[in-house]
């Protein structure tokens, strides 16, 4: 997943499909993990923030929404920065921003300040890391690109399994402020990953090498002609509607379980279950889609994945105890992994490789709006539902 990134580097450089590329893949794995697991894992702090500032679930949900909106909606900005300065410098600055936002949030005295620090600053920092890392990964791999992208995407569920219980542990021992401060220190590892993004070099006629640089004239950032494709329009509308609710369960399931009386540690473990299932669902769905007899029908498989995800959400809303939430997280992890593995494979099948970079940027810009309003709307619905039962949030 990424934005409208079209910085393709200089011509004449053959992707090594290995070598230092495995170090780049490792860095991309970590960046992807932080970028997509962090907005969900930070939800373990929501209950404490509600008590600290006297706010509701919909207010705390804006933290994750702003983080995801920054990640989705800054594609063109990231493209311009990469084309002007190169991948490694942009990622180094992004790592500093991501860390600075969380460190500053640990000193905040209002929820608005947390929106600006954790949401905007950290979100921008993660975005400046995520998209350049994908550019470098695709420069280093060609024949093995599907495998490389699949392994990098697995960073999201792996980090979700780790960050959720870690966040709960930090909160129990140091409070939410100490937890934010330590997480800010962990995000400095993004700078280490940036250092791994060594530019490729092209051989010169004289036997020397020519470093890959940002001086190459960039192509158009966004090709608006994709809007003439009816298939793209259908995909963009369907994906935007799907994203309205796609991130709501991971954001709220921990706080919802706590409100049911589930101990904090067990509640945080729900995200670990979801992430563990997702680890296996993504490569499995990718492998099945890559089969010769299945790949022509990838669009239908993606449609099934969206339907399955929505049906899981509907049935999960009937869970009344911890066991029911565990079952929900298992099936949601399967459907979530299928959607994550198939969505951009289907988009490329619709628009082709030439327009893919523009198409993905436009889709993510549209999804950014849905990501921004989805979790807070879900939180408001939960709040009204609890009031209808004669209960209140926070307890």
């Amino acid at each position: 997943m990424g934005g409208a990134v079209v910085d393709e580097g200089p011509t004449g450089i053959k992707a090594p499909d290995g070598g230092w590329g495995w170090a780049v893949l490792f860095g991309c794995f970590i960046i992807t993990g932080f970028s997509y697991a962090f907005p969900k894992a930070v939800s373990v702090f929501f209950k404490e923030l509600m008590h600290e500032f006297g706010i509701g679930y919909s207010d705390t949900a804006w933290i994750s929404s702003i983080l995801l909106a920054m990640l989705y909606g800054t594609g063109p900005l990231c493209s311009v920065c990469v084309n002007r300065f190169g991948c490694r410098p942009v990622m180094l600055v992004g790592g500093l921003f991501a860390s600075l936002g969380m460190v500053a949030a640990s000193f905040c005295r209002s929820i608005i300040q947390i929106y600006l620090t954790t949401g905007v600053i950290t979100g921008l920092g993660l975005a400046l890391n995520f998209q350049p890392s994908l550019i470098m990964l695709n420069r280093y791999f060609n024949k093995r690109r599907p495998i490389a992208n699949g392994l990098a995407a697995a960073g999201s569920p792996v980090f979700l399994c780790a960050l959720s219980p870690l966040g709960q542990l930090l909160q129990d021992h140091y409070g939410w402020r100490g937890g934010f401060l330590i997480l800010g220190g962990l995000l400095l590892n993004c700078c280490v990953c940036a250092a791994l993004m060594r530019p490729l070099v092209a051989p010169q006629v004289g036997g020397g090498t020519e470093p890959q640089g940002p001086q190459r004239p960039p192509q158009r950032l966004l090709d608006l002609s994709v809007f003439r494709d009816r298939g793209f329009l259908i995909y963009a509308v369907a994906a935007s509607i799907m994203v309205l609710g796609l991130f709501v369960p991971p954001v709220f399931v921990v706080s919802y379980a706590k409100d049911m009386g589930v101990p904090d540690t067990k509640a945080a473990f729900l995200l670990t279950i979801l992430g563990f299932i997702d680890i296996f669902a993504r490569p499995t769905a990718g492998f099945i889609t890559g089969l010769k007899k299945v790949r022509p029908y990838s669009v239908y498989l993606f449609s099934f994945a969206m339907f399955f995800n929505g049906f899981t959400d509907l049935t999960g809303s009937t869970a009344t105890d911890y066991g029911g939430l565990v079952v929900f997280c298992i099936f949601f992890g399967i459907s979530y992994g299928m959607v994550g593995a198939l969505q951009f494979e289907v988009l490329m099948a619709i628009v082709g490789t030439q327009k893919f970079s523009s198409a993905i940027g436009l889709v993510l810009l549209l999804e950014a709006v849905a990501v921004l309003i989805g979790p807070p709307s879900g939180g408001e619905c939960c709040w009204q539902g609890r009031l209808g039962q004669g209960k209140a949030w926070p307890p």
Side-chain angles (χ1 to χ4, degrees):
M1 303 169 74
V5 288
V6 295
D7 175 50
E8 298 174 348
T11 59
I13 301 180
K14 183 179 179 180
D17 275 310
W20 189 256
W22 299 116
V24 173
L25 172 58
F26 177 72
C28 192
F29 174 88
I30 294 177
I31 295 296
T32 302
F34 275 128
S35 298
Y36 281 98
F38 199 83
K40 306 178 188 70
V42 76
S43 65
V44 300
F45 296 98
F46 282 2
K47 192 172 182 180
E48 290 299 316
L49 292 175
M50 289 163 58
H51 286 293
E52 175 85 11
F53 300 114
I55 54 179
Y57 272 127
S58 59
D59 299 304
T60 55
W62 278 104
I63 300 172
S64 296
S65 291
I66 295 172
L67 269 167
L68 289 168
M70 292 297 294
L71 192 64
Y72 273 67
T74 54
L77 173 64
C78 293
S79 298
V80 171
C81 291
V82 168
N83 287 330
R84 177 65 180 85
F85 302 106
C87 292
R88 181 185 280 175
V90 172
M91 291 180 66
L92 286 170
V93 173
L96 292 175
F97 271 35
S99 177
L100 176 63
M102 290 303 295
V103 171
S106 66
F107 298 97
C108 289
R109 298 297 177 183
S110 70
I111 192 64
I112 299 298
Q113 293 175 348
I114 292 182
Y115 292 160
L116 294 176
T117 52
T118 300
V120 176
I121 299 178
T122 297
L124 177 60
L126 292 175
L128 292 175
N129 269 270
F130 179 64
Q131 296 185 52
S133 70
L134 285 185
I135 294 175
M136 292 301 297
L137 183 68
N138 285 279
R139 286 179 180 173
Y140 270 88
F141 290 92
N142 184 18
K143 294 180 180 179
R144 296 176 176 173
R145 184 175 298 172
I147 298 176
N149 283 323
L151 291 174
S156 175
V158 169
F159 270 61
L160 184 59
C161 289
L163 287 179
S164 179
L166 175 62
Q168 187 64 57
L169 183 66
L170 293 176
Q171 178 179 274
D172 293 341
H173 285 79
Y174 306 105
W176 72 267
R177 294 185 184 276
F180 275 26
L181 185 64
I182 294 173
L183 288 176
L186 286 178
L187 285 173
L188 283 175
N189 285 292
C190 293
C191 296
V192 179
C193 296
L196 296 175
M197 303 299 163
R198 186 171 67 191
L200 288 170
V201 293
Q204 286 184 335
V205 178
T209 59
E210 180 181 352
Q212 172 184 336
Q215 73 277 5
R216 179 174 177 255
Q219 301 175 1
R220 284 191 299 174
L221 290 177
L222 296 175
D223 184 356
L224 299 180
S225 66
V226 295
F227 282 110
R228 301 173 187 170
D229 189 330
R230 185 175 62 179
F232 171 78
L233 291 176
I234 296 174
Y235 177 93
V237 172
S240 298
I241 295 174
M242 174 190 69
V243 170
L244 272 173
L246 185 64
F247 297 109
V248 172
V251 169
F252 284 111
V253 68
V254 173
S255 296
Y256 184 75
K258 291 179 180 179
D259 185 70
M260 292 172 59
V262 177
D264 290 355
T265 304
K266 290 182 66 178
F269 188 67
L270 289 171
L271 279 185
T272 302
I273 295 173
L274 193 158
F276 181 78
I277 297 298
D278 193 11
I279 291 173
F280 296 97
R282 289 181 185 239
T284 301
F287 174 78
I288 294 175
T289 306
L291 298 175
K292 285 186 177 181
K293 294 184 178 180
V294 178
R295 193 162 190 176
Y297 304 99
S298 59
V299 174
Y300 301 101
L301 190 59
F302 180 57
S303 299
F304 170 77
M306 289 194 293
F307 174 81
F308 184 29
N309 185 264
F311 182 76
T312 302
D313 287 344
L314 288 175
T315 55
S317 63
T318 63
T320 57
D321 55 19
Y322 185 73
L325 290 178
V326 169
V327 174
F328 164 72
C329 286
I330 291 173
F331 283 96
F332 183 83
I334 295 172
S335 62
Y336 188 74
M338 292 177 65
V339 169
L342 297 174
Q343 56 181 337
F344 295 123
E345 166 67 23
V346 170
L347 179 59
M348 181 172 287
I350 292 174
V351 302
T353 56
Q354 294 298 322
K355 297 182 179 180
F356 179 70
S357 60
S358 294
I360 191 175
L362 291 168
V363 166
L364 290 178
L365 283 172
L366 294 173
E367 290 180 352
V369 178
V371 165
L372 187 63
I373 65 177
S377 300
E380 187 64 28
C381 291
C382 291
W383 177 280
Q384 296 298 331
R386 297 296 287 178
L387 291 179
Q389 298 174 9
K391 301 177 182 179
W393 262 333

